[in-house]
Amino acid sequence: MSEKVKKMVKITVDDRTIEAEEGAILLQVLLENGFEIPYYCYHEALGPDGNCRMCMVEIEGKKRPQISCDTFVEEGLIVRTDTENIRRVRRGILELQLVNHPVDCPVCDQAGECSLQDYYMEYGLYHGKVPKAEKLHFEKHLDLGRNVMLDQERCVLCKRCVRFTGNIVKTGELGVVERADHSHIATLPGRKLENGYAMNVVDLCPVGALTSKDFRFKQRVWFLTSTPSVCHGCATGCAIYIDHAKTKFEDDTIYRFRPRKNPDINGHFICDEGRLSYKALQENRLREARAESSSIGFEEAAAQMKKMVESWQGRIVVLADANLYIEELEMVQIFANRIGGKLHAPLDAYRDPAFEDAWLKSAMRAANAKGVERLGIDTSMPSSRGEVLLINFNHPAAGDVKARRQIDLLTHRPETFADLTLPIAAWSETSGTLVNEAGIEQRCEQALFPNDPVPTLMTWLEAWDLGERCLV
Amino acid sequence: MTNRVKTVPRYNKTAKERLYLPAIFEGLKVTAKHLFVNVADINAVETLEYPEEQPTDITERYRGLHRLTHREDGSIRCVACFMCATACPAQCIHIVATERTDGIEEKMPQIFEIDTLECVFCGYCVEACPCDAIRMDTGIFSVTGKRREDFVLTKEQLLAHKSAFGEDTSRA
Amino acid sequence: MSTLSIVVTLATIVLAALLALLMIPVLVWLERRVCGLIQDRLGPNRTNLFGFRLGGVVQSFADVIKLVVKEEYYPSHIGKGRWLFVLAPMITFASALLAFMVIPFADDLVLYGERMKIQALPVEYGILWYLAIGSVGVIGMVFGGWMSHNKYSLLGALRSASQMVSYELALGLGVISMILTYGTIDFNAMVHWQSGTVLGFLPAWGALVQPLAAIVVIVALFVETNRAPFSVAEGESEIVAGFMTEYTAMKFAMYFMGEYVAMNTASAVIVTMFFGGYQLPWLSTETLTAHFSAVAWTIVVALPLFVWFFIRWMKKNNTVRPTVSTDWGRHFETKVLSVVLIAMTVVIDLILIYISTLPEGSAATTVAVTLLQIAVFVMKLMAFNIFFIVVRWTLPRFRYDQVQTLGWRYLLPLSLLNIFVTAIVVVGVLS
């Protein structure tokens, strides 16, 4: 396809002059320049639909307000987004949207991130004229499968979910049924959602019609903090937000992952497995150090590790997990050099061709496989000669290496304990850089600050005084 | 001197004031009168002899211990919307929500605990509740217990508290 | 020393010690109750021993127990000086107690030809002893404030020390004019002097003979005891507890008790020097002994009347508001106390009747007169203690510079003037 030459033109919005690409969608330009325009059906990834009519703006020269999602930028366009007329239009449309809305806010999970709530507080604030008894009723908590719950009464019929299942994942499970006042979203009778990206409709839905069954009733959204990070499910490295909360009554916990917009990698979406991988970070974690099976304190464990490494000098094999951050891998590399050990990060253990698909899922299930390659770490399995000390930095296939003695530094509880097992912080409890399979570097910020934090990998290596690496 | 001079009244200038003793005597008269009136008849002292006398100014607006209200069929009215927990300035309300299966509502609290040792009895939770599910009209002002745990009111305890002013129809 | 004088001396010492020490819980109780009633509230009245509240006196004993079992704690920076830290309150307490020992509780007891002073320390220089030992209390305060290693304690101690030193002058000069008037430094002789009349009908009490000296000395004694309105040392709202901040448990208790003993002593001195001491007005000891039967019969009639009124008052007041509930505990207590009081009245009346039948000048009459005088002294002492307490809860505290102004610029010249006038009158006119 030929590249269209991007011509920048000037438009005037609310007496401000803005430069924009000619032919771009006006709503997108307005949103990018910080103007607050309400909208339901438009989505950057799905394109405009023109059915909600909320994004109306006044354009000089046109008699009636125009929807900005179907207006394209031309030279000299004069736009007004905040006039008395526009406010009246918005309030009217909002009132129509809310005619049959059940006002479920106390029980709806979307409260706090709901477009209806936000726009009502900003543009509405009217008294509804339809009494509760006269509203139409539909199905309330319908389980559509794949962790998606549908509430047909709350829907504003923006059809983002229909367009997603139809155009993006091309499975077409959702559609609008019946006419006029009785329109609602449904699947064909007996059919459920069955694609690997189904939970994205939960993010797309601007109201509480489609909600995550996994997150249902777990926490209120305003208690959550969103930390930008990267999913560690596979080498694609989709950008995510980690939504976590530390309350007076619970330690810092992760409640869900949400996709973060990254035009280079994942656009606006993530796969379902990656979305649900937050559970693995919190279940079955190792939090205490062990010598064989008995619990020991952290200082004693560090001393034992030092002693073992010194006595096995020269006969050490180091295994590193390919999910570790670049900074941690570098540190492990320096450590291995210092103690005279051979460093391996076998990648075969992570390959899963069955997982791969045409969009976001990669067959390489390690997040930093490219980082391992960049650092020149040996990616083959070490040959299992018996008389070695194996230091395992959280590699899942360490059991395949036969060693006389083993020191494990793990995030999760193993089935059997090695000679010395030390806990390390998971990737959400420390920060670092990952390199995805296309070579793009991404930064993950530390999300969790638990009350009793587990020491990080860097902390265990402090005894060897390997110098500072990047800030952790 | 200009006309912006403001004359400040000065005290203790007359001979009688500077003597102190007449003023002291006046003060002693007042004090002694109170003393003798109260000693002559101890009932003249307006002290509430608790616990024999109980306070008489507990009205419907008085913020005593909390209670969770019931629907007409006796089930819990609260839908675990977290408005009270969010509004509480002392963060003393612990709620864990769960699915409600009897068709009346979708959500209900599995755990609803109020730590009365942290509570400041401000009444914001009552104001914040959209369902009239929590009220503070029990009129209970005295809570005793031997351990800290005794002061954490559980959902069952809160449901069992009764209003001191007759069960009003809900305004929800 | 005959056995009689030994017995009497011992009895006087015991009486003085009891008076001083037992007054402490009573004064604490009075202070709290009176201040409550002045402020239209009840003071403490709930602590009881087996249901006997006694109006709340038991509270003082509960306080004592609390202070005794509290944690002993020393500031860490004192180091080696801890012995002085602990000694300071003892100095204050001891000096206040010692100063009380020269007050006569009754006239000399003349029994079987022996003349025995009813004073714990039977010395003739009572006023000098009081001035000297009473001033030693300041040392305890200064030590306390200094050893606390605390700026605010030091400030409090120094303020108190300088205040007390300033008013020592006024006190001493006022006392000098009294000495000039009475012509003696013996407390007992002073009381004798006050048994006459002035202007024909008024009792010759010091307050009426020397009103200016009375005011100067009373004010100076308020200051000496650190009582409001001159409580700069323990200005409760200003510098926490002043020099007593770092003291806990028993050490604090000793400062606390020392203050009440000092107040008691000051009341005793005022009563002795200005209000006739142990004497009933117009009646000297000789008159009493001579007409003892009349006096005895007056008491026999008056005492039951007084007790009857008291029991009636107790019935009305020792209860919860009758409209609210009935208080069986307190009703029982009222009954028991009534019975005890009536029994005591009967016993005293019988004794008095018996004594009045005895011939004049017998030993029993003299002893009875002594006891009567002791009773009169205690009543006057209590009246003055209540006066101290009421003044404390009437007047706001003086600002520190106002205290010094009062001491140096008003009381000192006034007392000097008083001395001159007294001297002129005593030496020039009367002799």
Side-chain angles (χ1 to χ4, degrees), chain A residues 449-461:
Chain A
F449 292 85
N451 289 331
D452 295 309
V454 175
T456 60
L457 192 148
M458 307 290 220
T459 321
W460 289 117
L461 298 179

Side-chain angles (χ1 to χ4, degrees), chain A residues 106 140-141 216 220 222 248, chain B residues 81 86 90-91 99 106 118:
Chain A
K140 290 290 289 185
H141 29 261
R216 191 169 170 81
R220 280 315 215 172
W222 52 82
K248 204 171 174 187
Chain B
C81 67
T86 311
Q91 290 171 36
E99 198 86 34
E106 276 180 55
E118 297 263 357

Side-chain angles (χ1 to χ4, degrees), chain A residues 104-109 111 140-141 149 151 154 216-220 222-223 247-250, chain B residues 79-83 85-86 90-94 96-100 105-107 118 130-131:
Chain A
D104 268 346
C105 301
V107 299
C108 176
D109 270 334
K140 290 290 289 185
H141 29 261
M149 295 287 280
D151 185 321
R154 300 173 188 165
R216 191 169 170 81
F217 298 162
K218 289 260 169 66
Q219 186 57 281
R220 280 315 215 172
W222 52 82
F223 292 130
T247 66
K248 204 171 174 187
F249 307 101
E250 306 262 351
Chain B
V79 292
C81 67
F82 285 79
M83 291 298 114
T86 311
Q91 290 171 36
C92 66
I93 304 184
H94 180 205
V96 171
T98 186
E99 198 86 34
R100 184 164 174 159
E105 271 293 348
E106 276 180 55
K107 208 172 170 190
E118 297 263 357
C131 312

